[in-house]
Amino acid sequence: MLDIPSRVRVHVETPLAAQNDMGVCDAFEQYAPVREPDAMNAPHPSKVAGIDATVPSPAHTVAPAPTTPAAPPVPTGAGALLQDRLAGWVSDLTTLHELTERLARTATLPDALRELLRAGSALVGARRGLVVLEPADGLGPDTTIGLGLGRADLGHIETVPRSSMPYGRILDGLPGGEGEIAQPDLLAEDGLDPRHREVAARLGYAASYALPLASGADRLGAAVWLYDEPAEPAERQRHLAGLYVRYAAEHLARLLELERTRARMTTMTEELLPSRLPRVSGVQLAARHRTGPRGGGDWYDALPLPDAALGLAVGSVTGSGPSAVAAMGRLRASLRAYAVMEGEDPVAVLSDLELLLRLTEPARSATALFAYCEPALRKITLAGAGHCPPLVVGERRTEFVETSVSAPLGMLACWEAPSVELEAEAGETVLLYTDGLLHRTGDPVDRAFARLHAAAAGVPRSIRHDPGAVADHVLRTMLPGGPDAADGTEDIVLLAARFE
């Protein structure tokens, strides 16, 4: 046999920092360089007595018995060291992949901040920590979230002078706050602020490790992890935590922009709705409104009318986003004008509104319900255009009002439907709502109506005198997770009127 010498050499003195910064392919190139084989070492098909080995053997030749494959050689020395390092890199990449996947599944800013703290504590080996979100542009939102720290603990930390805390140095751009800040033994530090020393002893932490949260050149905040004993993360832990925090900062920047957009949409929608409900003798009013994450066109209104009357209205504009919100504002303002002029005839009010919508916004449709109320007589005259029927809740009955079936506004060349009269008894509450309340349940329409009826029928007698409490009970019963956590993107409007 030929003795073929190995042409592979392994360099084992590479610094650990270089190992962490190179990829697996780069490691192979450095540790095991590939060279052209020598001529004498190039494989050749063997020949015996001038016979080419590629000629197939005769058919009568017995096939060679299968041999048991030899066990792979156990790496020793430099080969074992390289294999261990590669296994460590694969393990680190797997850990980072799992943690970033969990972070990417968070859809809200508070959830993402809590996940950042949990993952970071596992990477640096700390038990507690806090993250301070304070964008440098000053547009907010500013918040502080703790891991293993209660509100009182966070309050104690906030009493420490900001310049003495690592997150304060990072957020304020003080010297030493450009990157990571490690304090392996707080109580042994010279010049530590006395208040910081007192709070650390009270909360029982002896070391900290802080990292800035920045997306590009935009500073978002800082994360700090606290150790119960004097300690600091190893070089490998710092490297992994730095990679994870850089990814987390980009994810937080996206959620921050989404949060700001939602806040703007909510503010704009709330400004287009009544700032307060009117006080009219003989009736008590309460309203509940939730704007969907994309901003919708659901609205409500209550306005005093001549002769001690009251106009109640709810409606919904198709679409979502700023366009739908603006259309909702125009529609509500127009309905108020028509209600003042001819509110005693709800059919005329909706007919005028439909004509305006068809002439000014022919590509848009809307549903609406307008009720002309005479509180002294407890009499209601209402008309609806493709809208959900009101629900009457009282001691003796809980039933939907029988309204005529009609198309939404803007769907027909000319809209008109007969009105319906209703007489409420003393103590009864009439609920007006939009279909977003039904859609948020995630059930089919018929089952959602049944849930609404059951929720209204189950209102405790002790709170039936308060229309706000009635509305809250209905929302809690229909949406156990809360209006903001329930499925669906539609707005929610619930207007309650209790007649005395």
Side-chain angles (χ1 to χ4, degrees), residues 232-293:
E232 64 178 326
E235 185 66 28
R236 173 172 167 269
Q237 291 175 311
R238 295 187 182 196
H239 181 69
L240 291 177
L243 292 176
Y244 177 79
V245 167
R246 282 199 291 272
Y247 173 83
E250 297 296 331
H251 183 65
L252 290 175
R254 292 189 291 268
L255 291 180
L256 181 63
E257 187 60 32
L258 181 61
E259 188 78 13
R260 289 175 174 177
T261 302
R262 288 177 177 174
R264 295 188 192 105
M265 292 297 301
T266 301
T267 301
M268 185 170 63
T269 303
E270 295 297 336
E271 289 297 323
L272 291 174
L273 294 175
S275 58
R276 61 181 181 87
L277 296 174
R279 294 184 178 181
V280 179
S281 177
V283 64
Q284 295 178 338
L285 300 175
R288 298 293 182 265
H289 176 261
R290 294 291 186 278
T291 302

Side-chain angles (χ1 to χ4, degrees), residues 277-363:
L277 296 174
R279 294 184 178 181
V280 179
S281 177
V283 64
Q284 295 178 338
L285 300 175
R288 298 293 182 265
H289 176 261
R290 294 291 186 278
T291 302
R294 291 179 293 184
D298 288 14
W299 53 277
Y300 69 94
D301 205 351
L303 67 157
L305 296 176
D307 301 327
L310 174 69
L312 300 177
V314 291
S316 177
V317 176
T318 56
S320 60
S323 176
V325 174
M328 176 267 289
R330 293 191 295 267
L331 200 68
R332 171 178 172 264
S334 301
L335 186 140
R336 290 176 69 93
Y338 297 142
V340 171
M341 291 187 296
E342 46 190 354
E344 67 278 358
D345 186 358
V347 173
V349 172
L350 294 185
S351 296
D352 293 342
L353 192 64
E354 194 275 337
L355 179 60
L356 177 68
L357 186 67
R358 181 158 46 89
L359 294 177
T360 59
E361 300 184 62

